[in-house]
Amino acid sequence: MVRVAEVIVTLPVEGRFHYSIPNHLDDKIQIGHRVLIPFGRRRVTGFVRDLHERETLEAYKGKLKSITEILDPDPILRSDLIDLVRFASDYYLEPEGEILRIALPPGVTAASSRRYRITQSGTAAVASDDLVEEHRELLERASKPRGIRKDKQNAKFIRHLEKLLLIEAIEQFHVQETEKQVEVIQRLEETEPKKLRRGSKQEALYVALAQGPLSRPEINQLLGVTPARNTIRGLEKKGLIRTYKKQIDQKAAVIGEDTRQVQLTAEQREVLTPICSEIDAKAHAAFLLRGVTGSGKTEVYLRAIERVRKQNRTAIVLVPEIALTSQLEARFRERFADDVVVLHSAMTDKQRRDGWAKLFREKAGIALGPRSAVWAPVNNLGLVIVDEEHDSSFKQHSDVRYNGRDLALVRAHRADAVVVLGSATPSLETRRLAKSDRIQELRLAKRFASQPLPSVTTVDLGRCARDAKGEVPLISRQLADALIQTVERKEQAILFLNRRGFNTVLVCDQCGAAKKCASCDVSLTHHKHANVLVCHYCNATEQYSNKCNECGANAMQPYGAGTQRVAEEVARLLPGGNIIRLDRDITSKTGALEKNLSAFRNHEADILIGTQMVAKGHDFPRVTLVGIICADSSLGFPDFRAAEKTFQLITQVAGRAGRGDRPGHVIIQTFQPNHFALKCAIDHDDDKFYEIEASSREKTNYPPFSRLGVIRVESLDEKKIEETSRRLGQLARSLSQQFSTSIRGPVAAPIEKIKGKHRKLMLILAPKPALLVANMRSLQKSLKNVPSSVDVIYDVDAHDLL
């Protein structure tokens, strides 16, 4: 009987790959093992997906290559994670290797690299005078221990020197350890050790090692020497000790009773009862925890996790933003200490590998992070929580376009685990699941400790008094007075603006043209601190000028505002006020986001001015005023979800006010005070919003009444994109009846160019997810002879239509 391994290759290639198993590995290899395999002319990392037994190898065409070696003593992928990778690959139309690449921490996969080093003949040639200068320079570099790498500049010379046998190719392969290891010193058994000088450091170390192995840091502390390598080296030369690497034994935290004795509200107890009942039954169940802002959803999460951990089962908690990860981490560590492992992209590669290994080795049982934490390697999963489940950041909009919230539902279902989706403003998709009883809805209708919801004032900017220039003021008189009074009371305020930069666009007074990026079909943003115009899609920058590119008039005028201009207006209004800006320009530096949030939480500033990141989940007890500069700015987006996103955003940011012991107030500045999304947000009426918006979506057959796929065609070549789009549209319509789908487009994307590429998109609407995926897969396979200069991108359950 012959055994063959089916291996997932962590490269962007389609297909399944089979390798024969050498005799010396046959009794060791298991599903989930990380292996080194030949792939083309390279060696790469692979993961054993399955093992097959055959009488002969005839079932496989051609001669199978063999697995080179197993890279870890034990498998590092469990079967449940492999199954989730398989599902995501099939559903999101991506190779399994690409899915696995994002599921694993950086450095766990690797490939070989080729370098060149000097030969003996090359060394002799360097000593002669027969070489041209370029060859001599390359040979001298090739004589270094690391050798040289081939690149575009030296490729021709390297090929020539290799033919002359003056250099040779060497293959280098580096594999990162999947677990945190430490160097340990062990004493060897010697009945009569060689004489050690009495009172020496060598004798002290040798005696100490009689009690057991010590790490290098422990030895340094023992001897009071940093480093103690000379002492260690001396004992090694005498054959009395040996050095080896050992996995750090991190013990899981013991989960006990909550020492803070938080008193639950009646509503919290009521919603916890069915959640804990299903946890105790160890059965799959899905819940929507629909709670107003400040209602205590986090405490419900913590109690449910306590229940799961006491059963020695594990939990995954997903949050939409890294900023929320750091905030929730503090709450979770108060309760669970080192049982919490945080996973997110802002961590170093080593931190992510260590955290991953800690969860895999069951040294911790709670994974916390943004969407990528859905891949956490926890065992015996009992609970999955998705906080702020409505947030679009759970959907990845580039690379592998998966949805972390949806995969959380799949993973919980397959593990017979409980899943809780929490939000004050649930998505229409989740609300419809609850309406159809596929998810049980639980309500927290009151704020914790009976705090009232904030009162709301609307300022109609269309009727607002104009300033001396005849323009609509950025900060209305009502908002200005409220800011002054808030600071005088030693309270805090948040000003929310869904923009960044100083002025949104520059518009010509003569012809109406806006300053636009030459490579992207979007307006440039003015950044006053550097006096430059920036494209926030391709990062192209040009110097500020008031000359119009269209008509030549020096008549470019600012229209709109960003956080920088708002901050300047507030500084003029409150000369002594402390202000913190919070947008992606300010927080692009590592640690800046957490530093600014912490400073505001500690009342080192009176006013926080920010974009969308200030709206999500933050708890600032001293904030009593929230001002929304232009509430309806997102209503004009060419997106059928524009009203929903606006309603969610306003409700969420308004919920930052009045979370402490003082009442909150929200001032909404808008040009459309009668728009239903704004009126429902002002009235805290999410049921009314759902009723109106769902009715509109049903008439147009948009989600949640269908499943939406988007296919984007992008290219620098306008003619080729037209031809490919035309063929795509014809093919899609020929298949639409077979899959009961409707096709819209291809048409020009709302943003027609990004980074110089022309863009078209086509929408596919299907009644069921299986039909959508089958249709898109069929299109993917049937669209032949696509020029290499054209990108065709398939996005299942798309969120981004721009």
Side-chain angles (χ1 to χ4, degrees):
M1 192 68 71
V2 177
R3 289 224 298 166
V4 173
E6 186 178 335
V7 178
I8 302 174
V9 180
T10 51
L11 294 171
V13 289
E14 296 283 357
R16 296 182 176 180
F17 303 95
H18 297 84
Y19 290 83
S20 62
I21 302 171
N23 292 335
H24 70 284
L25 298 178
D26 193 42
D27 60 342
K28 298 177 183 177
I29 199 162
Q30 300 175 50
I31 292 174
H33 255 132
R34 186 171 63 145
V35 293
L36 185 61
I37 53 173
F39 194 84
R41 299 179 64 184
R42 296 188 293 168
R43 290 184 299 162
V44 301
T45 311
F47 292 83
V48 178
R49 180 190 196 269
D50 212 343
L51 295 171
H52 305 294
E53 292 188 350
R54 295 284 189 275
E55 293 292 337
T56 68
L57 292 176
E58 292 176 0
Y60 304 95
K61 295 179 181 179
K63 184 179 179 182
L64 288 187
K65 295 180 180 180
S66 293
I67 290 174
T68 304
E69 62 178 290
I70 298 173
L71 296 176
D72 304 282
D74 302 305
I76 67 168
L77 280 182
R78 294 193 181 90
S79 59
D80 64 327
L81 202 54
I82 294 175
D83 287 342
L84 190 64
V85 167
R86 289 178 179 177
F87 171 84
S89 172
D90 289 340
Y91 191 80
Y92 293 108
L93 308 177
E94 293 283 355
E96 288 184 359
E98 282 292 271
I99 300 290
L100 193 54
R101 179 180 59 79
I102 63 169
L104 293 170
V108 173
T109 62
S112 58
S113 62
R114 181 169 293 224
R115 301 184 78 90
Y116 295 84
R117 65 184 176 194
I118 196 167
T119 62
Q120 288 186 348
S121 300
T123 303
V126 171
S128 70
D129 296 325
D130 299 332
L131 292 172
V132 297
E133 189 58 34
E134 290 88 347
H135 290 173
R136 183 182 300 280
E137 181 186 348
L138 278 176
L139 286 175
E140 287 175 349
R141 286 168 53 201
S143 66
K144 306 294 183 185
R146 285 178 53 80
I148 55 174
R149 191 189 298 273
K150 184 189 289 185
D151 55 37
K152 289 182 180 179
Q153 285 71 37
N154 66 22
K156 180 180 177 181
F157 297 125
I158 281 182
R159 284 195 298 269
H160 181 70
L161 293 174
E162 195 174 12
K163 285 181 181 178
L164 296 176
L165 304 179
L166 301 182
I167 59 174
E168 62 182 356
I170 55 172
E171 192 176 39
Q172 295 183 333
F173 193 88
H174 302 283
V175 180
Q176 295 284 355
E177 296 168 347
T178 59
E179 305 168 41
K180 192 172 183 180
Q181 296 185 330
V182 67
E183 212 169 32
V184 174
I185 315 298
Q186 181 185 38
R187 171 173 162 169
L188 298 176
E189 293 298 326
E190 285 281 344
T191 52
E192 293 183 6
K194 296 179 181 179
K195 187 175 180 181
L196 297 174
R197 185 165 57 86
R198 187 174 295 279
S200 67
K201 287 186 172 61
Q202 287 189 6
E203 184 188 46
L205 176 56
Y206 187 75
V207 170
L209 288 172
Q211 306 302 315
L214 295 171
S215 67
R216 283 185 181 268
E218 289 170 334
I219 292 172
N220 292 340
Q221 187 175 8
L222 172 74
L223 301 180
V225 177
T226 305
R229 56 173 171 262
N230 290 335
T231 305
I232 294 168
R233 192 179 297 122
L235 289 175
E236 282 178 329
K237 286 181 178 179
K238 294 173 181 176
L240 298 177
I241 62 172
R242 76 180 181 96
T243 302
Y244 65 98
K245 283 191 173 182
K246 178 184 177 183
Q247 168 69 25
I248 293 178
D249 184 20
Q250 295 171 299
K251 295 182 180 179
V254 177
I255 307 303
E257 296 295 329
D258 177 20
T259 55
R260 295 187 304 163
Q261 296 298 317
V262 175
Q263 188 70 36
L264 295 177
T265 65
E267 279 191 332
Q268 286 175 321
R269 290 194 298 272
E270 188 175 338
V271 301
L272 267 169
T273 298
I275 294 173
C276 291
S277 177
E278 296 294 348
I279 289 172
D280 292 344
K282 298 186 178 179
H284 171 65
F287 296 95
L288 165 60
L289 180 56
R290 188 171 150 219
V292 299
T293 56
S295 59
K297 292 187 292 293
T298 302
E299 186 61 34
V300 173
Y301 302 155
L302 293 169
R303 295 296 179 101
I305 293 170
E306 281 180 351
R307 193 76 158 228
V308 163
R309 291 303 289 138
K310 286 175 181 176
Q311 297 174 4
N312 201 31
R313 300 168 77 200
T314 58
I316 295 174
V317 182
L318 302 185
V319 295
E321 293 276 358
I322 291 173
L324 292 185
T325 308
S326 59
Q327 177 177 309
L328 275 181
E329 182 182 359
R331 290 281 306 272
F332 274 60
R333 291 208 185 280
E334 280 182 9
R335 198 72 59 94
F336 303 112
D338 292 335
D339 200 36
V340 179
V341 168
V342 175
L343 299 170
H344 59 69
S345 59
M347 301 168 70
T348 66
D349 291 354
K350 186 175 184 301
Q351 286 173 329
R352 291 167 72 184
R353 284 196 302 273
D354 290 347
W356 192 92
K358 188 176 179 182
L359 290 167
F360 182 81
R361 297 297 177 193
E362 300 181 43
K363 305 301 182 185
I366 304 167
L368 171 65
R371 61 176 175 260
S372 58
V374 75
W375 308 104
V378 295
N379 191 27
N380 197 17
L381 182 64
L383 177 66
V384 181
I385 292 168
V386 185
D387 191 31
E388 309 292 359
E389 67 81 28
H390 66 276
D391 200 287
S392 61
S393 61
F394 285 118
K395 170 72 172 178
Q396 184 156 301
H397 300 297
S398 61
D399 201 7
V400 179
R401 291 168 171 78
Y402 72 97
N403 191 310
R405 178 200 62 192
D406 295 350
L407 283 183
L409 287 165
V410 172
R411 187 167 187 184
H413 181 266
R414 295 186 170 205
D416 284 331
V418 171
V419 59
V420 179
L421 307 181
S423 176
T425 55
S427 64
L428 262 71
E429 287 84 352
T430 302
R431 286 289 301 270
R432 188 153 190 259
L433 287 175
K435 293 278 186 185
S436 61
D437 294 326
R438 294 174 62 187
I439 291 180
Q440 183 179 345
E441 183 175 316
L442 307 172
R443 291 295 307 270
L444 292 173
K446 299 176 183 177
R447 281 189 158 187
F448 189 79
S450 299
Q451 297 160 329
L453 289 168
S455 58
V456 181
T457 299
T458 304
V459 176
D460 185 348
L461 293 177
R463 297 175 177 272
C464 191
R466 306 290 171 129
D467 62 16
K469 296 180 181 179
E471 297 176 354
V472 175
L474 190 59
I475 298 175
S476 63
R477 186 69 262 164
Q478 295 96 317
L479 181 54
D481 290 343
L483 281 170
I484 293 170
Q485 293 165 14
T486 299
V487 173
E488 287 176 349
R489 292 194 303 265
K490 308 297 183 184
E491 296 168 356
Q492 291 178 294
I494 292 176
L495 295 182
F496 170 74
L497 180 67
N498 193 18
R499 311 249 178 135
R500 64 180 175 179
F502 183 77
N503 296 302
T504 302
V505 292
L506 293 177
V507 179
C508 179
D509 265 356
Q510 298 296 315
C511 69
K515 284 269 190 181
K516 289 194 172 184
C517 175
S519 300
C520 307
D521 188 28
V522 294
S523 300
L524 297 171
T525 300
H526 181 207
H527 287 250
K528 189 180 179 185
H529 68 284
N531 203 31
V532 293
L533 300 171
V534 179
C535 173
H536 285 298
Y537 283 87
C538 70
N539 288 323
T541 303
E542 64 178 68
Q543 281 300 120
Y544 170 81
S545 168
N546 68 346
K547 185 176 181 179
C548 177
N549 295 337
E550 297 296 323
C551 70
N554 293 318
M556 302 303 294
Q557 296 294 328
Y559 179 80
T563 54
Q564 185 181 349
R565 184 177 167 198
V566 174
E568 292 186 2
E569 291 287 329
V570 173
R572 279 195 288 270
L573 185 67
L574 294 163
N578 294 317
I579 301 167
I580 289 178
R581 273 177 59 204
L582 200 66
D583 57 31
R584 298 202 184 276
D585 295 330
I586 294 294
T587 61
S588 56
K589 294 182 180 179
T590 303
L593 177 60
E594 292 81 1
K595 181 181 177 182
N596 279 300
L597 287 173
S598 178
F600 189 67
R601 190 172 289 110
N602 295 332
H603 206 171
E604 295 172 23
D606 304 307
I607 300 168
L608 177 67
I609 302 171
T611 51
Q612 289 192 24
M613 61 185 72
V614 305
K616 300 177 180 180
H618 303 294
D619 190 358
F620 302 120
R622 294 187 183 93
V623 170
T624 57
L625 174 67
V626 166
I628 301 176
I629 301 299
C630 188
D632 44 16
S633 61
S634 56
L635 285 173
F637 268 60
D639 183 348
F640 69 89
R641 292 188 176 94
E644 180 184 10
K645 290 178 180 177
T646 301
F647 169 78
Q648 290 168 340
L649 203 55
I650 292 173
T651 302
Q652 292 286 338
V653 73
R656 302 313 107 204
R659 297 170 75 96
D661 55 5
R662 299 183 185 183
H665 184 56
V666 180
I667 296 178
I668 298 178
Q669 299 184 164
T670 175
F671 286 100
Q672 302 182 61
N674 294 319
H675 193 284
F676 77 94
L678 300 186
K679 288 179 71 70
C680 290
I682 291 165
D683 296 337
H684 309 294
D685 194 346
D686 52 345
D687 286 324
K688 183 68 173 177
F689 173 80
Y690 175 80
E691 179 186 330
I692 297 172
E693 182 68 6
S695 175
S696 173
R697 299 269 190 97
E698 189 171 17
K699 291 174 184 176
T700 53
N701 194 34
Y702 277 123
F705 299 95
S706 65
R707 299 303 282 255
L708 172 65
V710 170
I711 302 179
R712 291 180 180 82
V713 186
E714 301 179 353
S715 178
L716 294 169
D717 190 320
E718 196 168 4
K719 289 183 178 179
K720 288 182 179 179
I721 197 175
E722 289 290 346
E723 171 61 21
T724 303
S725 298
R726 183 185 60 78
R727 290 197 294 118
L728 175 66
Q730 290 174 344
L731 186 59
R733 284 176 173 81
S734 70
L735 294 171
S736 61
Q737 190 171 356
Q738 177 184 344
F739 297 102
S740 303
T741 55
S742 62
I743 309 299
R744 300 181 186 179
V747 295
I751 301 175
E752 292 191 42
K753 279 204 310 181
I754 291 182
K755 298 181 181 178
K757 286 187 176 183
H758 301 274
R759 308 168 73 241
K760 286 184 176 290
L761 58 81
M762 183 176 74
L763 275 57
I764 302 177
L765 294 160
K768 296 180 180 179
L771 290 172
L772 174 65
V773 172
N775 192 353
M776 294 183 73
R777 183 183 293 113
S778 182
L779 282 169
Q780 193 180 47
K781 291 179 179 179
S782 302
L783 189 64
K784 306 290 186 183
N785 302 318
V786 176
S788 59
S789 60
V790 176
D791 295 325
V792 183
I793 301 161
Y794 298 83
D795 189 355
V796 179
D797 291 337
H799 271 247
D800 182 9
L801 302 185
L802 298 181

